[in-house]
Amino acid sequence: MPAHRDEWEQRLLADRKMLEVFATAIGGPFHVMYPARVVRNIRAFQAVFQRTGVPGTIYYGKKANKAACVVAACVQAGAGVDVSSLGELEAALAGGVRGADLVVTGPAKSEELLGAAVRHDALVAVDAPDELDRLAGTGARVLLRVLPPHSDSRFGLTAGEVEQALATLDRDAIRLEGFSFHLGGYEAAPRAELALRLIEYCREARYLGHPADTISIGGGFGVDYVPAEHWRSFLRGLNPLWFHRDRAPKPESFYPYHCPAPGPAMLETILAHRQLGARLRTADIRLAIEPGRALVDRAGSTVFAVQGVKTRTAHGHPYSILTVNGSSLSLSEQWFDTEYLPDPALWPPRPGRVTPACVGGASCLEDDMISWRRIPFPRAARPGDLLIYPNTAGYQMDSNESTFHELPIPPKVVLRDAEGAKFDWTLDGTTALR
Ligand SMILES: *Cc1c(COP(=O)(O)O)cnc(C)c1O
């Protein structure tokens, strides 16, 4: 499944030395980040708000990627950050985000997290009635996170709990700025429908004297990893024989790797649905969004070095098992009974014959496979070659990494454009620029 590749990544792959220098200097797997792409992604969402005349605020869903350079890109482009732990809150503040530009989400927030949120004037998305009690008298800025109708989610307040909160909230003790939700899936219509419902809640809250001028529709903006035709033919042909040990994931377990209207286009669709945008404007309500994955789309890749090559036969055909110098913990999708499908590039480019290979991690676990499927590489891989997995910044690279086997956590190399189509680089979080 050939992935969309940004110009910066093509430039990196075409460079004769750079990847090799990083691989040698680091001596293990690493990630590459290109924060200029995050800035571009933020600007594309902002452009939708501008075009539609809907006042909007973007909060980066920080759990998608821990890199400091992403927070720096948010500061540069004027986006806030959505955090749900004290560590995330501290990292955002340390990266230069104003407290007032933070939204604190997540269930059953600790006393420390709520305290820090109040001190820094962050917006708190309240997930349970007791959080409101604990915030009483602090003057906290609050959104009520609602449980979507007919949802069995463990997050959010039921309609009864929202009504109860509205009936009892003291508007001098808490500043109710509005309502929020976060939906699973990547559909536009349910988000717009629920937002329309929350406009009514805002009206009710305003009637009771609360400011209630914000609706947050959470994240879940789709990302387009591979072209439509490749995704369709993959699903059509999906077959256990393609996979090492015949281990094909269930078709429904795959992330939807092709998305016809990703990120900002999805926001546009949401705003157009039943004239949500016009209704928000009329009601003078600001729309907040919390995209995680979509803000780091095409902003990072993961690089492993091939350490060993074996040849095996399955169903009468030979194939290679490549073992690389890292683990599947750097490709989180592998840990949800599914597989990350955008194909890695084999570097350096050399002439050769198409050779199918699966990719294993350097651990003693049978299941530590970075790619179960036999990828048709353009040539036979050999030790020292690099595999570059594209578009891994969103949830793949760093959410599950650990020091398993006492291997170090892969560092992140941050690339910035320099003169003559060259790159300057730093390690993430190590310079004032981050
Ligand atoms: C995870 C999460 C997000 C980000 O979701 P993406 O799918 O990465 O856009 C936003 N808001 C909340 C409350 C979340 O839990």
Side-chain angles (χ1 to χ4, degrees):
M1 292 254 280
H4 298 298
R5 259 185 226 292
D6 260 16
E7 178 277 339
W8 71 267
E9 196 168 15
Q10 290 173 20
R11 212 177 343 139
L12 176 66
L13 291 170
D15 190 288
R16 305 248 302 267
K17 272 255 128 354
M18 207 155 187
L19 281 167
E20 191 184 330
V21 168
F22 294 150
T24 310
I26 292 165
F30 59 96
H31 310 294
V32 180
M33 293 294 293
Y34 182 71
R37 174 70 206 213
V38 180
V39 171
R40 212 176 107 194
N41 292 340
I42 295 170
R43 299 230 194 277
F45 276 104
Q46 287 167 337
V48 174
F49 284 126
Q50 240 144 41
R51 264 201 306 282
T52 54
V54 175
T57 309
I58 301 163
Y59 297 98
Y60 163 56
K62 193 173 187 321
K63 68 177 182 292
N65 191 295
K66 298 186 185 81
C69 69
V70 177
V71 170
C74 290
V75 172
Q76 185 189 334
V81 178
D82 160 19
V83 299
S84 46
S85 70
L86 197 58
E88 287 186 346
L89 181 138
E90 288 169 350
L93 289 173
V97 181
R98 271 190 302 255
D101 294 334
L102 295 177
V103 58
V104 182
T105 60
K109 298 168 195 66
S110 70
E111 220 44 51
E112 291 74 16
L113 181 57
L114 283 183
V118 170
R119 280 194 304 282
H120 292 283
D121 206 24
L123 190 56
V124 179
V126 164
D127 187 63
D130 75 284
E131 284 181 2
L132 273 183
D133 300 337
R134 288 153 68 207
L135 287 169
T138 60
R141 299 170 54 219
V142 157
L143 301 176
L144 298 183
R145 176 166 172 174
V146 304
L147 172 70
H150 317 298
S151 164
D152 57 3
S153 166
R154 66 190 177 96
F155 303 115
L157 301 165
T158 64
E161 287 167 337
V162 171
E163 292 301 339
Q164 175 73 20
L166 286 176
T168 52
L169 257 190
D170 174 0
R171 65 192 149 98
D172 298 320
I174 275 185
R175 203 182 140 76
L176 178 60
E177 296 200 353
F179 299 85
S180 72
F181 63 81
H182 173 71
L183 295 183
Y186 305 93
E187 303 287 327
R191 289 175 166 81
E193 292 289 335
L194 192 46
L196 286 167
R197 202 183 163 105
L198 296 198
I199 293 180
E200 297 314 311
Y201 273 146
C202 283
R203 290 219 162 93
E204 195 178 335
R206 283 175 181 182
Y207 179 75
L208 295 168
H210 301 287
D213 60 0
T214 301
I215 290 175
S216 174
I217 60 170
F221 292 85
V223 163
D224 192 39
Y225 290 85
V226 303
E229 64 273 21
H230 291 287
W231 178 230
R232 274 197 293 269
S233 67
F234 177 87
L235 288 178
R236 241 191 337 260
L238 181 61
N239 185 327
L241 303 183
W242 289 353
F243 294 79
H244 175 57
R245 305 176 104 199
D246 298 346
R247 269 212 25 185
K250 294 196 198 74
E252 64 274 15
S253 73
F254 289 114
Y255 179 86
Y257 284 98
H258 169 67
C259 176
M266 180 169 156
L267 176 60
E268 204 142 8
T269 312
I270 292 172
L271 288 172
H273 183 88
R274 286 184 53 206
Q275 298 196 305
L276 172 65
R279 290 182 200 216
L280 288 167
R281 281 200 315 262
T282 308
D284 208 4
I285 289 174
R286 167 179 86 112
L287 188 73
I289 58 172
E290 301 159 4
R293 191 190 287 263
L295 277 206
V296 291
D297 179 26
R298 300 184 208 181
S301 304
T302 295
V303 185
F304 300 101
V306 175
Q307 248 174 229
V309 182
K310 281 181 173 175
T311 302
R312 290 288 170 83
T313 303
H315 310 287
H317 298 284
Y319 68 102
S320 306
I321 298 179
L322 313 182
T323 301
V324 297
N325 62 350
S327 90
S328 53
L329 293 166
S330 296
L331 221 55
S332 304
E333 210 66 26
Q334 309 310 95
W335 289 85
F336 300 103
D337 265 341
T338 180
E339 170 128 333
Y340 188 68
L341 290 179
D343 283 347
L346 175 60
W347 193 94
R350 276 196 208 106
R353 288 181 43 195
V354 173
T355 309
C358 59
V359 182
S363 76
C364 305
L365 296 181
E366 200 64 90
D367 280 355
D368 181 18
M369 292 297 290
I370 293 162
S371 295
W372 288 90
R373 73 195 188 289
R374 291 182 272 269
I375 298 162
F377 288 106
R379 63 172 173 86
R382 46 193 212 215
D385 286 343
L386 301 179
L387 293 183
I388 299 99
Y389 280 80
N391 210 355
T392 54
Y395 295 108
Q396 301 309 315
M397 59 175 64
D398 68 11
S399 37
N400 279 334
E401 282 179 341
S402 80
T403 52
F404 185 52
H405 270 301
E406 300 182 41
L407 290 165
I409 295 205
K412 297 189 180 87
V413 176
V414 181
L415 299 182
R416 290 192 171 76
D417 291 321
E419 268 185 42
K422 294 223 171 352
F423 292 112
D424 282 335
W425 65 272
T426 54
L427 288 180
D428 186 57
T430 52
T431 72
L433 272 177
R434 270 179 279 267

